[in-house]
Amino acid sequence: MSKIKFLSLGKQPITNNFLIEQNPINEFFYDLNIVYDENTNVVSLENFVPPERMFNETYAHRASMSITMRESNKLLSENITKRFNPKSVLEIGSNDGIFLKNFPNIKRVGVEPCKNLADITNGVNIETYDNFWDLGLSKKINKIHGKFDLVYSANTISHIHDLNDALQSVNLILNDDGVFILEDPSLLEVIKNTSYDQFYDEHAYVFSVLGLNNLLEKTELEIFDIEKLTTHGGSNRVFIKKVRSNKKISDNVSKIINEELNMGMNKFETYQKFAQNVINSKNETIKIFTELRNNNAKIIGYGATYKSSTILNYCGLDTKFIDYFTDTTENKQGKFTPGTHIPILKPADGIDSKINYVFLGAWNFKKEIFNKEKKFIERGGKFISHVPFPQII
Ligand code: TMP
């Protein structure tokens, strides 16, 4: 057997299942186990959760809710235009149009299986297919719109269970000299930061470049450049072309692959070591929360992210430890966190003068949050984060 389990993160709920009732009957849980494939170096969940349970018309995440994300998408669009000057763009996982809205003057098509989100972009004249990305859809779009110069997909390819099909579908829709840009959390950063919260139902895979490279070997596609990003706590923006296109392959590719090899990411022992770090992180997190609560600290959470669901459920952080969360996403407000049943309020009802500690569910937006919450910091308020190790900041 080539896939070996190295980490068990316990029973976990559907991260998007923000609850209307605090104590629902029949909440769905599954075993979140992580495996390493010795043949391909690919790290994935052991058991995939059926996509329809996760990506449906109740999908809560709205990418445009964060200033950081709005700004970075605008900048990226400008850079792509400068570097590749595409005449057409297809986005796989177009969410609320945060990326595509920056391309008003070229052919643009979105793919977004969550109908509530697809309705938003269809409503502003960005033609969007509310389907899952697969070969059937790729053929259909190809027939209607032809091929594309740019295929962009951020935080979506890692959600697709059948990667071979997903990549073949991109190959089919991409012009011969086209560019496929894929952006997903970096496994190297996850290992460096013990940010095990990147593992949750939607993230069927957390990619290393080593793993991606091996998967692409079975296709007519290859990596020609990589940029490291700070988004989502450390991601790779991977530039992919057809093998027959003569775009130059940047030195960045071998540089990052070597960095991963130096980290031992082609060895099972590295993942075993990471798993031990995760257990240590859990114990330390529980210790911090228990000590603070024993001293009657008032603790709330900031950003009821999907990622935080893994930490809360794995560490058993429920209403005994966290009074409530605040979140800017309207369709999370008034609901309860999956599995741990913590109320979610809107930020305006959030950090009042009695709060001493704020747990950073959205730790990847630390800079943006610290800027927003200067008053809390000035009056001595502290943040709790588990990254890169459990600490009070
Ligand atoms: P993400 O990490 O999956 O992008 O989700 C970020 C979540 O955190 C999203 O629900 C919005 C929320 N959030 C806040 O509540 N306040 C903030 O200042 C920021 C940046 C995010």
Side-chain angles (χ1 to χ4, degrees):
M1 205 179 70
S2 66
K3 286 185 189 169
I4 325 175
K5 181 162 86 183
F6 62 91
L7 180 62
S8 298
L9 292 165
K11 295 259 178 245
Q12 293 283 345
I14 300 295
T15 49
N16 181 45
N17 190 20
F18 293 93
L19 305 165
I20 294 166
E21 285 171 58
Q22 190 162 22
N23 293 305
I25 35 176
N26 294 334
E27 191 176 3
F28 175 82
F29 286 89
Y30 69 99
D31 287 307
L32 178 56
N33 297 326
I34 320 299
V35 296
Y36 169 70
D37 188 327
E38 282 188 311
N39 292 338
T40 59
N41 308 129
V42 170
V43 164
S44 67
L45 305 194
E46 182 181 39
N47 307 303
F48 293 143
V49 174
E52 296 76 15
R53 275 196 184 270
M54 302 181 280
F55 309 110
N56 50 47
E57 67 293 345
T58 68
Y59 199 73
H61 178 73
R62 290 275 315 267
S64 294
M65 286 294 121
S66 145
I67 310 166
T68 316
M69 294 307 282
R70 284 200 301 274
E71 285 176 353
S72 67
N73 272 271
K74 188 165 175 287
L75 184 68
L76 168 65
S77 312
E78 289 164 4
N79 288 342
I80 286 176
T81 303
K82 264 189 232 144
R83 184 168 173 191
F84 302 113
N85 194 23
K87 298 282 174 279
S88 50
V89 49
L90 173 80
E91 185 177 10
I92 304 167
S94 47
N95 198 272
D96 58 5
I98 187 168
F99 176 75
L100 283 181
K101 75 170 186 219
N102 299 305
F103 294 91
N105 301 322
I106 61 172
K107 175 171 90 181
R108 53 181 178 174
V109 173
V111 173
E112 176 48 69
C114 305
K115 193 172 176 321
N116 56 330
L117 297 170
D119 285 349
I120 296 173
T121 42
N122 273 318
V124 292
N125 285 331
I126 299 175
E127 184 163 1
T128 308
Y129 290 79
D130 58 359
N131 305 96
F132 288 101
W133 177 249
D134 63 14
L135 205 51
L137 182 64
S138 178
K139 282 181 183 162
K140 180 174 162 184
I141 294 178
N142 184 25
K143 217 163 160 188
I144 300 171
H145 303 276
K147 292 186 189 283
F148 288 78
D149 292 339
L150 173 70
V151 176
Y152 178 71
S153 187
N155 302 298
T156 301
I157 299 298
S158 61
H159 298 183
I160 301 178
H161 300 170
D162 187 345
L163 284 178
N164 193 40
D165 179 273
L167 296 172
Q168 299 295 355
S169 310
V170 169
N171 188 45
L172 185 131
I173 203 86
L174 193 66
N175 270 326
D176 276 357
D177 202 32
V179 177
F180 168 37
I181 302 177
L182 170 160
E183 233 174 271
D184 275 295
S186 151
L187 186 59
L188 179 68
E189 295 305 316
V190 169
I191 290 181
K192 277 189 191 164
N193 294 312
T194 319
S195 47
Y196 62 91
D197 49 338
Q198 288 295 4
F199 294 111
Y200 57 88
D201 51 357
E202 294 183 8
H203 287 179
Y205 301 88
V206 178
F207 292 128
S208 60
V209 175
L210 275 174
L212 257 184
N213 220 13
N214 286 335
L215 291 170
L216 287 167
E217 253 173 27
K218 291 195 213 113
T219 71
E220 293 166 36
L221 300 167
E222 68 181 353
I223 300 174
F224 71 95
D225 201 1
I226 306 172
E227 284 172 13
K228 285 191 179 196
L229 309 175
T230 54
T231 14
H232 293 293
S235 300
N236 286 320
R237 177 176 292 148
V238 182
F239 296 77
I240 295 167
K241 66 174 186 74
K242 295 208 171 174
V243 173
R244 60 180 168 277
S245 151
N246 55 15
K247 284 189 172 53
K248 189 177 166 294
I249 298 184
S250 155
D251 293 344
N252 291 338
V253 182
S254 54
K255 222 160 80 189
I256 294 180
I257 288 180
N258 282 334
E259 197 184 338
E260 290 189 350
L261 288 171
N262 287 339
M263 190 77 179
M265 288 175 66
N266 56 341
K267 295 193 185 100
F268 182 63
E269 300 80 69
T270 306
Y271 299 94
Q272 281 178 306
K273 219 155 76 198
F274 166 73
Q276 189 52 53
N277 291 343
V278 172
I279 294 167
N280 297 345
S281 172
K282 172 188 180 169
N283 292 339
E284 197 50 41
T285 301
I286 295 173
K287 198 169 141 213
I288 290 176
F289 273 89
T290 308
E291 280 175 6
L292 290 176
R293 270 315 221 207
N294 286 346
N295 290 317
N296 298 317
K298 250 187 103 59
I299 311 174
I300 68 161
Y302 201 110
T305 54
Y306 295 166
K307 289 193 291 293
S308 66
S309 187
T310 295
I311 313 165
L312 300 178
N313 285 282
Y314 178 57
C315 298
L317 300 175
D318 54 16
T319 48
K320 287 197 293 296
F321 294 96
I322 298 176
D323 293 330
Y324 56 85
F325 263 85
T326 69
D327 198 290
T328 49
T329 307
E330 270 172 32
N331 45 7
K332 292 182 187 174
Q333 295 162 2
K335 295 184 181 163
F336 300 88
T337 57
T340 46
H341 308 170
I342 304 169
I344 305 170
L345 309 183
K346 46 181 188 296
D349 302 335
I351 310 187
D352 65 35
S353 57
K354 293 185 227 84
I355 310 297
N356 323 107
Y357 293 91
V358 169
F359 168 65
L360 282 172
W363 58 268
N364 46 312
F365 292 112
K366 194 162 86 180
K367 223 162 115 193
E368 180 174 336
I369 293 170
F370 284 10
N371 263 332
K372 258 196 259 183
E373 303 302 341
K374 282 195 183 112
K375 272 198 199 138
F376 172 69
I377 297 169
E378 278 161 16
R379 74 163 165 82
K382 301 276 184 218
F383 290 91
I384 306 169
S385 179
H386 79 298
V387 174
F389 51 85
Q391 59 185 313
I392 295 171
I393 311 168

